[in-house]
Amino acid sequence: QSDKMSNSSSITQFFLMAFADTRELQLLHFWLFLGIYLAAPLGNGPIITAIACNHHLHTPMYFFLLNLSLLDLGCISTTLPKSMASSLWGTRAISYAGCAAQVFLFLFLLSAEYYLLTAMAYDRYVAICKPLHYGTLLGSRACAHMAAAAWGGGFLYAVLHTANTFSLPLCQGNAVNQFFCEIPQILKLSCSNSYLMEVWLIVFSVLVDLGFFVYIALSYVQIFRAVLRIPSQQGRHKAFSTCLPHLAVVSLFIMTGMFAYLKPPSISYTSLDLVVSFLYSVVPPTVNPLIY
């Protein structure tokens, strides 16, 4: 199935990794992923409906939350249905265009979500540390600009990486060692040295993302300092319960994502790769509604 190919022009499809060999385990994988996949709309759907329909919830925090829920639904819909179909029908093949589309959509939605989480940290920072300036700093226009920047930034990021990755010559076969098409796994299929440009691009992108993470962390340091000055126990508890889950999701998201993209190809343990990808691609979109 995955013969060594001389160049990428002859590759018309890729083969995703099968989760299991036996029919029983394939069906177990299908039902497990179906449960997770249904949990996402069950959690995000009511959030989207409530915020859209209730004008009392038309505030910056809920506006960002609405965007986050839409991104979560898109993100989980990019990876899980194809993997579920593969297990159900026992077909591992994904077309070349389908693989490129999966990489593009996944990167677009995931990076837009990360930029949006940064905007949400800014929103919490202003709400708790500069409450008197909240109305002026986070007006409806400012919020719309921040959301547009998150979506636009994610789109540009995805175009850049997808175009660069799929322009590489591939000569290591066409078996993707993952349950969805992911850049680090496709780079393993590229001819030696040709992938260095994309590696540098990833390193640069991760440094930029790390900058956002430092900004989020510093925002939270300021927030926690302000919260500790709140005299009432109830007020402190409310502020911590809002901010700690947000910080936990962002940390899980950035740590596992960085590990997946920066880890040298020589360190390749299939089970580890699967767990890491699951942690940054499936867990945040599923748990975000529960947290918020």
Side-chain angles (χ1 to χ4, degrees):
Q1 279 180 338
S2 58
D3 302 319
K4 298 281 185 212
M5 308 233 175
S6 55
N7 63 357
S8 53
S9 59
S10 56
I11 292 182
T12 55
Q13 59 182 10
F14 292 93
F15 290 97
L16 297 173
M17 200 186 89
F19 260 105
D21 302 327
T22 65
R23 192 72 193 128
E24 289 78 13
L25 285 174
Q26 282 176 348
L27 287 173
L28 178 68
H29 161 243
F30 169 77
W31 288 112
L32 186 68
F33 267 29
L34 182 66
I36 294 168
Y37 187 56
L38 291 177
L42 282 174
N44 288 295
I47 291 177
I48 294 167
T49 312
I51 295 169
C53 300
N54 186 345
H55 69 93
H56 292 300
L57 297 180
H58 292 179
T59 63
M61 185 174 89
Y62 288 107
F63 169 71
F64 290 136
L65 201 51
L66 173 74
N67 278 272
L68 187 71
S69 290
L70 291 170
L71 288 166
D72 279 340
L73 284 177
C75 203
I76 209 158
S77 299
T78 305
T79 54
L80 290 195
K82 177 63 189 165
S83 184
M84 281 151 50
S86 297
S87 282
L88 194 59
W89 290 304
T91 58
R92 288 169 47 215
I94 182 170
S95 68
Y96 189 87
C99 189
Q102 204 174 41
V103 165
F104 171 77
L105 285 170
F106 181 67
L107 272 183
F108 165 41
L109 296 162
L110 206 71
S111 45
E113 180 162 321
Y114 181 57
Y115 302 143
L116 195 72
L117 287 168
T118 310
M120 289 171 82
Y122 175 71
D123 168 63
R124 295 298 78 213
Y125 165 73
V126 177
I128 291 171
C129 300
K130 299 188 175 184
L132 298 178
H133 300 284
Y134 191 74
T136 49
L137 287 174
L138 279 152
S140 53
R141 181 174 287 185
C143 291
H145 285 166
M146 285 160 80
W151 288 82
F155 181 81
L156 290 174
Y157 186 88
V159 166
L160 186 67
H161 283 285
T162 309
N164 209 30
T165 302
F166 283 89
S167 63
L168 295 172
L170 306 177
C171 46
Q172 305 290 328
N174 61 347
V176 178
N177 210 10
Q178 190 54 270
F179 70 93
F180 63 96
C181 283
E182 184 190 43
I183 286 180
Q185 302 300 334
I186 290 165
L187 290 185
K188 287 182 188 174
L189 307 177
S190 64
C191 307
S192 56
N193 298 331
S194 62
Y195 66 87
L196 285 175
M197 170 70 179
E198 175 60 19
V199 168
W200 283 115
L201 204 57
I202 286 174
V203 170
F204 173 74
S205 303
V206 167
L207 288 174
V208 172
D209 289 348
L210 207 54
F212 282 114
F213 185 65
V214 169
Y215 171 79
I216 292 171
L218 290 175
S219 299
Y220 277 106
V221 169
Q222 296 293 333
I223 286 170
F224 292 143
R225 280 172 64 184
V227 167
L228 291 170
R229 289 198 295 267
I230 295 174
S232 77
Q233 182 92 33
Q234 193 185 0
R236 278 206 299 270
H237 178 261
K238 188 182 175 189
F240 274 126
S241 66
T242 313
C243 298
L244 282 172
H246 182 223
L247 193 57
V249 170
V250 174
S251 302
L252 175 76
F253 195 63
I254 188 83
M255 296 308 168
T256 50
M258 276 173 60
F259 182 79
Y261 281 80
L262 288 184
K263 164 176 75 60
S266 54
I267 308 173
S268 188
Y269 306 106
T270 303
S271 51
L272 179 69
D273 287 347
L274 276 175
V275 168
V276 166
S277 295
F278 189 81
L279 281 177
Y280 83 86
S281 66
V282 177
V283 173
T286 316
V287 299
N288 272 343
L290 296 173
I291 283 170
Y292 291 109

